[in-house]
Amino acid sequence: MPPSHRPAPGAAPTLSPVTRPSTVDLITVELRNAIYTGALRVGSPIREVEMAGQLGVSRGPFREAAQRLVAEGLVVATPGRGLSVRRIDRDRIPALYTARTMVETTAARLAVEHATDEQVAVVRRAHDALVRADATHDALQIGAADLNVHWELVAAGGNPWLLSWMSTLIVEVRIASFTVSEEYAVRRDAGPSHAPIVELLEARDADALDAAIRANLDDAVARLLAPEATGVPMLEEPRPLPAPRLDPLDL
């Protein structure tokens, strides 16, 4: 610390104010989660007055939060029709998964090189949670646990930009799943199918891990585009209907 900025002996140090999430931050998280879970269905309108009232917030911060999701690409603005939840149709799925593959494989190589043993252990625990989710036979719960394994793998890479992109990509993956089918479908063997990814990370084998991630995501694309052709046993359940109300925010 430069001498001019050092506190006098015995004086209390100068601390920066502790910040907390703003109302806009909280609304953004709530809306993003509602899209991820299917509570806000693909293509459905974002009704500003109604939803702001459900959340117990004013229209100004709600509008700002919705615009953040427009910038992320999760919500679309249509002239004359307002805001609605994005749709991602079949023709966009290969490009979406190409982006996801680039993020995940890049992060995985960083994780092999730099992740601590505890960060690797977090990925292992996420996989353990996926195995437990398999036993529930709840497709949405399994799907969330599946995506969490991939999210924790990217987090282990330690690059905040990759993690930020991944946070949006996993919501877009859910949007794509909800767009292409009236049923939300997952592999019955989600846990075993992800085991090689975790094992290769633990072994610090970058090339084999890269290949395992690519194979896993290529399989996901095939199941989204032509599930009947893959021959993989699936669990399916209808998308949430009707959409539940948004819970009031605890501000």
Side-chain angles (χ1 to χ4, degrees):
M1 178 183 293
S4 60
H5 296 291
R6 288 177 183 157
T14 300
L15 302 178
S16 299
V18 175
T19 60
R20 64 174 184 170
S22 68
T23 299
V24 175
D25 293 333
L26 295 173
I27 298 168
T28 303
V29 170
E30 185 71 15
L31 291 176
R32 189 186 292 112
N33 287 342
I35 294 170
Y36 177 77
T37 62
L40 289 178
R41 300 192 67 182
V42 294
S44 65
I46 304 295
R47 297 185 175 89
E48 180 183 304
V49 175
E50 176 185 337
M51 293 182 183
Q54 290 179 15
L55 293 170
V57 300
S58 61
R59 294 171 62 183
F62 182 91
R63 188 178 301 117
E64 184 177 343
Q67 288 300 325
R68 287 187 184 182
L69 296 186
V70 171
E72 289 183 22
L74 304 180
V75 169
V76 295
T78 304
R81 298 182 61 184
L83 303 178
S84 60
V85 179
R86 182 183 179 187
R87 296 176 56 88
I88 299 178
D89 291 306
R90 292 176 184 273
D91 61 336
R92 304 284 292 177
I93 288 175
L96 170 62
Y97 271 80
T98 294
R100 186 177 167 189
T101 299
M102 295 304 296
V103 168
E104 291 195 33
T105 55
T106 301
R109 288 185 177 275
L110 290 172
V112 165
E113 186 70 23
H114 302 294
T116 66
D117 290 343
E118 174 54 27
Q119 288 173 314
V120 173
V122 169
V123 181
R124 168 58 70 183
R125 289 196 290 271
H127 182 261
D128 292 342
L130 174 57
V131 172
R132 293 193 297 272
D134 271 350
T136 69
H137 304 293
D138 181 325
L140 284 171
Q141 185 174 335
I142 295 167
D146 174 330
L147 289 171
N148 192 51
V149 171
H150 292 268
W151 192 89
E152 293 292 1
L153 175 64
V154 174
N159 185 298
W161 281 273
L162 292 174
L163 189 59
S164 177
W165 296 332
M166 186 63 177
S167 297
T168 298
L169 284 167
I170 61 175
V171 183
E172 291 178 310
V173 166
R174 273 290 178 91
I175 289 173
S177 297
F178 292 151
T179 301
V180 301
S181 176
E182 288 297 322
E183 306 289 326
Y184 184 78
V186 296
R187 294 180 64 129
R188 287 183 179 271
D189 62 344
S193 72
H194 284 74
I197 292 174
V198 184
E199 292 164 0
L200 291 166
L201 174 62
E202 291 171 333
R204 308 279 178 164
D205 188 334
D207 290 340
L209 176 58
D210 184 299
I213 292 169
R214 291 176 186 275
N216 181 277
L217 297 182
D218 286 347
D219 172 76
V221 172
R223 285 185 286 107
L224 280 170
L225 296 181
E228 68 285 347
T230 64
V232 176
M234 306 290 287
L235 280 170
E236 297 180 343
E237 63 183 62
R239 293 182 296 175
L241 185 68
R245 289 171 56 87
L246 298 174
D247 293 328
L249 293 177
D250 183 15
L251 299 174

